[in-house]
Amino acid sequence: MENVTGYLHSVETAGTLDGPGIRRVIFLNGCPLKCVYCHNPDSRRYKGGIRTDAFTELRSIARQKEMLLSMKGGVTLSGGEPLWQPDFVKAIFEGSKMMGLHTALDTSGFVGHKADDELLSLTDLVLLDIKHFDPEGYKKVTGVNLQPTLDFAERLAAMNKPVWLRFVLVPGYTDDMNAIAKMAKYARHLGNVERVEVLPFHKMGEYKWEALNMDYELFDTDEPCAALISETKTYFNREGIPVF
């Protein structure tokens, strides 16, 4: 296995939100999307984070191995966009699988073409973030096109790769119920979506935009109310997909 250089944003040693069980979550730097609600805008620049290498990170994972195994967890690579660094992802997943650990990839799918079949063979679960199901809405929210994400989703479906679909609910931006209904039907069509996670927009990352002197257009956007969250989940429930 080759020792590959990588750039990290941060590491969470006992994550509970990014895959099953207790997980070591490694957030990588670099992302081609410009999501208006991004809570880690400081992770966008590829080489702006902590320079490391795969062997260093795998040694840290090895120190947690027994705990991760006992808690039915594993290793999740997130971002930023982890597939901006596909060789680093592959090296971390290869080492993690050698330790018997479950691997999860948290990705927008926009650069899914960078994930070769070997990388995906080392991936037990994909946490696929679909930001919006209307192409114009998707571009408004992310600055890029939706189709590459759908192409990646279809590829994962053809492989029968387990997927947890993630959707961030942002009032005024992603709460188009017609688009949500279409996304729910699409998730059922794929056949490999094990669950859907509706993630309510939160305001905890606002201070980062201010600290970076970046324009943030959601200062006046409220977090979604309980009724809006419930309505959104209804569409996925109708398609028979477990939703959280």
Side-chain angles (χ1 to χ4, degrees):
M1 181 175 62
E2 183 181 358
N3 190 18
V4 181
T5 297
Y7 294 87
L8 309 187
H9 174 269
S10 56
V11 176
E12 187 175 359
T13 58
T16 59
L17 302 175
D18 300 289
I22 303 297
R23 310 187 69 80
R24 186 176 182 89
V25 185
I26 303 174
F27 298 90
L28 305 189
N29 254 54
C31 185
L33 278 64
K34 300 292 185 288
C35 297
V36 294
Y37 56 75
C38 180
H39 62 277
N40 282 326
D42 51 328
S43 72
R44 289 178 176 176
R45 193 159 61 91
Y46 168 39
K47 294 187 178 181
I50 304 163
R51 190 176 187 273
T52 186
D53 62 78
F55 288 179
T56 296
E57 297 311 311
L58 287 168
R59 283 192 289 270
S60 296
I61 291 169
R63 288 193 285 272
Q64 279 196 277
K65 171 188 168 182
E66 296 307 322
M67 183 274 283
L68 295 173
L69 288 172
S70 67
M71 301 301 290
K72 295 180 171 48
V75 175
T76 298
L77 292 188
S78 186
E81 169 52 65
L83 291 181
W84 211 236
Q85 303 184 52
D87 293 338
F88 186 73
V89 171
K90 188 186 297 186
I92 294 295
F93 278 0
E94 183 177 358
S96 297
K97 295 306 295 178
M98 290 172 68
M99 296 182 222
L101 293 169
H102 181 276
T103 57
L105 177 70
D106 182 8
T107 176
S108 72
F110 179 70
V111 289
H113 62 280
K114 290 181 175 287
D116 61 21
D117 288 347
E118 181 183 2
L119 187 157
L120 292 178
S121 74
L122 297 166
T123 305
D124 293 314
L125 172 68
V126 177
L127 309 175
L128 183 62
D129 301 301
I130 299 185
K131 318 289 186 176
H132 203 300
F133 206 69
D134 173 74
E136 290 186 8
Y138 190 92
K139 191 154 193 174
K140 176 184 176 182
V141 168
T142 67
V144 300
N145 294 323
L146 170 62
Q147 192 58 49
T149 290
L150 301 185
D151 293 342
F152 186 59
E154 295 286 351
R155 180 180 169 202
L156 295 174
M159 300 173 67
N160 201 29
K161 181 68 62 177
V163 165
W164 289 7
L165 180 63
R166 304 181 119 184
F167 171 65
V168 180
L169 180 61
V170 187
Y173 288 83
T174 69
D175 57 348
D176 177 341
M177 292 301 155
N178 183 52
I180 291 169
K182 290 179 180 178
M183 188 190 301
K185 291 182 183 298
Y186 182 73
R188 178 173 57 80
H189 148 77
L190 289 172
N192 60 326
V193 176
E194 295 184 342
R195 62 191 277 178
V196 173
E197 296 180 342
V198 175
L199 308 177
F201 162 71
H202 62 73
K203 301 176 78 67
M204 290 184 285
E206 285 185 355
Y207 75 94
K208 295 183 180 180
W209 290 76
E210 292 183 296
L212 294 167
N213 292 316
M214 296 173 66
D215 292 331
Y216 185 62
E217 61 181 82
L218 273 68
F219 281 119
D220 296 326
T221 300
D222 294 327
E223 296 180 357
C225 64
L228 182 59
I229 296 170
S230 178
E231 182 182 4
T232 300
K233 290 182 176 181
T234 297
Y235 289 96
F236 295 101
N237 282 325
R238 286 176 184 171
E239 300 299 331
I241 303 171
V243 59
F244 297 85

